Amino acid sequence: MATSFQLRKKDRRKGGLVNTTEPLTGKPFALEGKSAMMERALSSAGISILFQDSTLTLSYAENLPRHFAELFFAGGSDSDLFGEAHGDYLRTLKFKVLETGTATNAEIDMDVDGEVRTYELKVQRINNGGSLGILSVISEVTEMRHREKVLKSLLRELSHRSKNLLAIIQGIATQTARNTLSLDSFLAKFRGRLQSLSNSQDLITDSSWRGAYLFDLAEKQFAPYWPETAGSMPIFGINAHMTPNAAVHLGLALHELIVNSASYGAIAGGASSITLNCKEAKHNGKKAIEIAWVEILPNRTEIHEFSENSFGKTVLERVVPSSMSGKAELRLVPGRIEYYLQIPETEFEILKRP
């Protein structure tokens, strides 16, 4: 009996669309034609079919991958196809499916031509001509599982970094509040420090969390405060590539030095007397870099004073070096501010040399 379908087909005589309830023309596919179509669909989809009788003896397979096809024979077992360990596991699982009638899934990893491949088996009980058996639909999911593992790893890394970032923000808020006397002052300083953190984080994110180059990091921190009339930014030496951890904390240190200079020091007086230089050094007998900030103050006799309890001084002398297992020294001498930060080799790479 022909089945009637509601169709929309193009009426070429009128150039429009008309509705029709006429049945589809042509003869139904013969059983052989359907079988051929199913075989082609299985092949294109990379899906294999495996049938076993109630004793779990292999009796039929379709579209097996080459490495399985070479091992398959009628009368064989799961151990012949998948190896003894997987065979024992699958035998237990399939007997349970036979007993309960509840379909289940299984995954196995196999070494194929020296490469580990992952296969998913969808196992169900079927009634084949009055006798029970097991039908397994097998598909390779190696790439999908690899992507899932990578994604989970990235999500764990993102969670870890997010927690670290939130801890840094909490520390900034707490320390800023301790060293400010008014809400307006707190908001101004806190916003500036958050923007500094954001600038560093942008560089880290753009590099797919690999870190940031020192010069890019310094330019990002200088940019909001550097006068256009002062010429190029005073960044010299080795353009080391910093780890994400080093980039975040070094950005905070540079922000404190730059804001202090823009408020009281060389940038406020024209910015012609600052240098930021990076060179190779030794830290605890191992390779390191030393980043040196040298600022000449407009008043050559002035000794600049950071408050003993100031957040900036705490960041420069304690927070930044301890976060990188490095060493720092802040020197306040007549007419100069000098800051030296040693960073161990675990926190940077030298990919480009001057």
Side-chain angles (χ1 to χ4, degrees):
M1 178 178 178
T3 303
S4 179
F5 295 89
Q6 184 73 19
L7 301 174
R8 287 179 64 83
K9 67 180 182 179
K10 191 170 183 180
D11 186 342
R12 296 186 180 179
R13 293 171 299 172
K14 298 181 180 179
L17 294 172
V18 297
N19 290 329
T20 179
T21 56
E22 296 175 5
L24 292 172
T25 60
K27 296 180 180 179
F29 284 107
L31 183 60
E32 294 80 5
K34 290 181 179 179
S35 177
M37 288 178 64
M38 289 302 297
E39 288 182 14
R40 179 172 292 184
L42 285 173
S43 177
S44 299
I47 295 175
S48 306
I49 300 295
L50 191 68
F51 178 75
Q52 296 161 275
D53 63 22
S54 58
T55 66
L56 300 187
T57 300
L58 299 174
S59 58
Y60 175 77
E62 186 70 57
N63 196 42
L64 288 177
R66 176 186 55 79
H67 45 278
F68 285 142
E70 292 172 352
L71 298 171
F72 175 85
F73 62 92
S77 67
D78 283 315
S79 295
D80 296 313
L81 277 185
F82 304 105
E84 286 297 332
H86 292 317
D88 290 342
Y89 162 68
L90 290 173
R91 185 162 47 252
T92 301
L93 180 144
K94 290 178 179 180
F95 272 129
K96 186 173 182 179
V97 172
L98 276 171
E99 180 184 351
T100 63
T102 303
T104 189
N105 292 351
E107 275 192 16
I108 59 173
D109 292 330
M110 293 190 62
D111 189 311
V112 178
D113 298 329
E115 183 179 359
V116 176
R117 313 298 293 177
T118 302
Y119 295 91
E120 181 182 59
L121 286 75
K122 297 183 178 180
V123 181
Q124 58 185 303
R125 186 178 74 183
I126 64 170
N127 190 326
N128 185 34
S131 61
L132 297 179
I134 287 290
L135 180 69
S136 301
V137 179
I138 306 171
S139 55
E140 185 177 346
V141 293
T142 306
E143 297 303 322
M144 182 173 69
R145 292 295 177 264
H146 175 69
R147 288 194 294 270
E148 287 178 356
K149 288 178 182 177
V150 170
L151 180 59
K152 287 179 181 178
S153 176
L154 289 173
L155 289 174
R156 283 194 296 270
E157 179 70 9
L158 179 60
S159 175
H160 173 71
R161 293 186 185 280
S162 297
K163 289 176 182 177
N164 285 348
L165 202 56
L166 288 173
I168 292 171
I169 292 171
Q170 184 179 32
I172 290 173
T174 301
Q175 292 296 330
T176 302
R178 284 178 182 172
N179 293 282
T180 50
L181 299 177
S182 69
L183 178 61
D184 288 343
S185 176
F186 167 80
L187 289 175
K189 292 179 180 180
F190 185 61
R191 285 168 181 162
R193 286 161 180 161
L194 278 188
Q195 186 59 54
S196 165
L197 196 61
S198 174
N199 289 339
S200 300
Q201 198 62 41
D202 284 345
L203 292 173
I204 295 168
T205 304
D206 289 345
S207 71
S208 300
W209 295 87
R210 289 191 295 271
Y213 281 102
L214 170 62
F215 286 15
D216 294 337
L217 186 68
E219 287 172 3
K220 273 272 192 181
Q221 299 299 332
F222 267 116
Y225 305 95
W226 193 250
E228 294 182 4
T229 56
S232 59
M233 296 178 189
I235 307 164
F236 306 98
I238 298 170
N239 190 12
H241 189 267
M242 316 304 297
T243 66
N245 174 63
V248 165
H249 288 92
L250 180 56
L252 290 175
L254 291 174
H255 174 77
E256 295 304 320
L257 289 166
I258 291 166
V259 168
N260 182 74
S261 180
S263 301
Y264 312 107
I267 294 178
S272 60
S273 50
I274 294 175
T275 57
L276 180 68
N277 192 26
C278 177
K279 64 180 182 180
E280 293 184 77
K282 290 286 185 181
H283 177 66
N284 293 334
K286 297 181 180 180
K287 288 196 304 181
I289 54 173
E290 182 178 76
I291 297 175
W293 169 283
V294 177
E295 177 181 359
I296 299 175
L297 302 174
N299 183 345
R300 301 300 175 90
T301 62
E302 175 190 2
I303 297 180
H304 182 81
E305 291 293 341
F306 281 87
S307 167
E308 284 300 318
N309 297 319
S310 75
F311 177 69
K313 196 169 188 292
T314 302
V315 165
L316 294 171
E317 292 186 322
R318 292 167 47 195
V319 174
V320 171
S322 64
S323 69
M324 295 183 274
S325 300
K327 179 182 177 183
E329 182 182 5
L330 178 64
R331 298 178 188 169
L332 304 175
V333 296
R336 295 164 70 89
I337 297 175
E338 299 178 6
Y339 180 66
Y340 301 94
L341 175 65
Q342 290 184 354
I343 301 175
E345 60 182 338
T346 54
E347 296 288 348
F348 71 89
E349 289 183 280
I350 299 178
L351 304 176
K352 302 176 182 178
R353 292 183 181 272

